[in-house]
Amino acid sequence: MPEDVFVLPVDRRLGAHTTLRRVGALPVVVVTHPCVRAAITLQGAQLVHWQPAGEEPVLWLSATTAFEEGRAVRGGVPICWPWFGAAGRPSHGFARVLPWELLDVDESGAGDEAAPGDETVRVTLVLRASEASRAYWPHEFEVFARFVLGRECRIELEARGDFESTAALHTYLRVGDLDEARVTGLGGPYVDKVLDTPVHTDPAAAGIAFRGQTDRVYTRPGDVSRVEDPAGKRVVEVRHEGHTDVVVWNPGADLARTMADVPDDGYREFVCVETAHVSRPLVSTPGTPARLGATLRIAPDA
């Protein structure tokens, strides 16, 4: 993070453990609880920091990213909606570059009645159709982003309205050394977007190591992906809900050098494991919202 958000001045107190602060031009909800530290930008409803007590930060955030209005923040968990990739402009949808409304902060799970290690802080934000969104997309909608922050981190996206969309929770996970990192639990079939080739099948479904630019859409993934990080001495699990796909991405050295918001060696510090619904659309109807969710945790057997 360009600045340590946890030492920045408090603009407004939202609860015993939750405050509103500002990084650059962007307001940020900051959680400082004995069980967890976290930060969520109001622009994009983007989780940019999650750190259970006693652990190193789990998410990667570029030290060179700009916290500017209308510009995507590089790292954390960007919300890609209502489209994924270059299906429209801006790339990965407008949800990550528009301001969301903070609906609720609930610290009821962080009180004295909570069992040690089970404490949570819940944060809910909403994005509604507006003049700004209609410049990109004609539909009326409400999209809710719900975060449950504690020893685990749960993110839920709920889209209400009458439309189809695609979405991804574009999670940047910090690793100690990309060369040693491996992701498993992905299933066999995948589309290789770097080679621009149709579906491949990995009969062993053993997972993936990173040897250059990587951009794969796994179309029949398991419910749990594991990021094995020997250099960081931990395994991070991503539990997927409501997904059709899991996307695994890393820009590699050559592409990273063209990205102003990724330091030249920054690509070695993360892997993206994205809970996604992209090979088939999410369908929202007036009576049935569409949902996509992910839960992150540090595996106890790491």
Side-chain angles (χ1 to χ4, degrees):
M1 193 172 297
E3 300 176 86
D4 186 347
V5 69
F6 300 99
V7 301
L8 290 174
V10 173
D11 288 352
R12 179 157 55 100
R13 184 158 290 281
L14 305 172
H17 306 288
T18 313
T19 55
L20 192 66
R21 311 188 192 198
R22 184 170 292 271
V23 179
L26 302 186
V28 181
V29 176
V30 177
V31 176
T32 52
H33 182 271
C35 182
V36 63
R37 300 206 310 173
I40 304 166
T41 62
L42 294 192
Q43 176 177 284
Q46 184 166 341
L47 183 68
V48 293
H49 188 95
W50 172 58
Q51 182 178 12
E55 304 288 351
E56 293 297 313
V58 177
L59 302 175
W60 180 85
L61 184 69
S62 171
T64 60
T65 193
F67 281 73
E68 298 177 357
E69 292 182 0
R71 185 171 176 180
V73 172
R74 176 72 66 182
V77 188
I79 294 174
C80 303
W81 187 88
W83 56 79
F84 179 79
R89 289 289 180 266
S91 182
H92 289 316
F94 54 77
R96 64 185 185 143
V97 296
L98 292 185
W100 293 51
E101 176 188 350
L102 177 63
L103 274 189
D104 186 53
V105 173
D106 180 3
E107 297 182 345
S108 61
D112 294 337
E113 73 282 0
D118 290 341
E119 302 95 332
T120 59
V121 175
R122 298 170 182 261
V123 180
T124 304
L125 301 96
V126 64
L127 179 67
R128 296 185 173 97
S130 64
E131 184 177 348
S133 73
R134 293 184 195 103
Y136 300 112
W137 203 51
H139 299 284
E140 298 300 304
F141 65 85
E142 286 186 317
V143 180
F144 296 86
R146 301 184 180 96
F147 300 86
V148 182
L149 304 161
R151 296 296 303 174
E152 297 186 354
C153 170
R154 173 171 167 74
I155 307 168
E156 182 188 63
L157 191 68
E158 179 183 302
R160 299 181 182 178
D162 190 5
F163 49 78
E164 293 185 351
S165 61
T166 55
L169 301 173
H170 196 308
T171 306
Y172 287 75
L173 294 167
R174 182 186 295 270
V175 296
D177 186 345
L178 181 68
D179 287 346
E180 298 182 28
R182 186 175 183 84
V183 182
T184 61
L186 297 169
Y190 65 90
V191 177
D192 193 318
K193 296 175 68 178
V194 175
L195 300 177
D196 193 22
T197 53
V199 173
H200 294 261
T201 299
D202 176 3
I208 182 174
F210 296 85
R211 302 293 181 263
Q213 184 182 353
T214 302
D215 192 353
R216 295 183 178 183
V217 180
Y218 285 84
T219 55
R220 282 191 286 174
D223 291 335
V224 180
S225 302
R226 289 169 58 92
V227 179
E228 300 170 0
D229 178 19
K233 298 180 180 178
R234 68 183 179 190
V235 175
V236 176
E237 292 182 349
V238 185
R239 296 202 297 268
H240 313 285
E241 300 174 33
H243 64 302
T244 55
D245 316 275
V246 169
V247 180
V248 178
W249 181 77
N250 182 276
D254 292 341
L255 181 58
R257 280 193 287 269
T258 72
M259 303 169 70
D261 55 1
V262 176
D264 285 353
D265 289 336
Y267 75 96
R268 298 182 60 83
E269 301 170 354
F270 69 85
V271 300
C272 288
V273 178
E274 309 170 37
T275 304
H277 207 298
V278 298
S279 60
R280 298 193 302 274
L282 281 162
V283 179
S284 302
T285 67
T288 308
R291 292 186 177 91
L292 185 69
T295 299
L296 313 179
R297 73 165 190 157
I298 298 173
D301 57 346

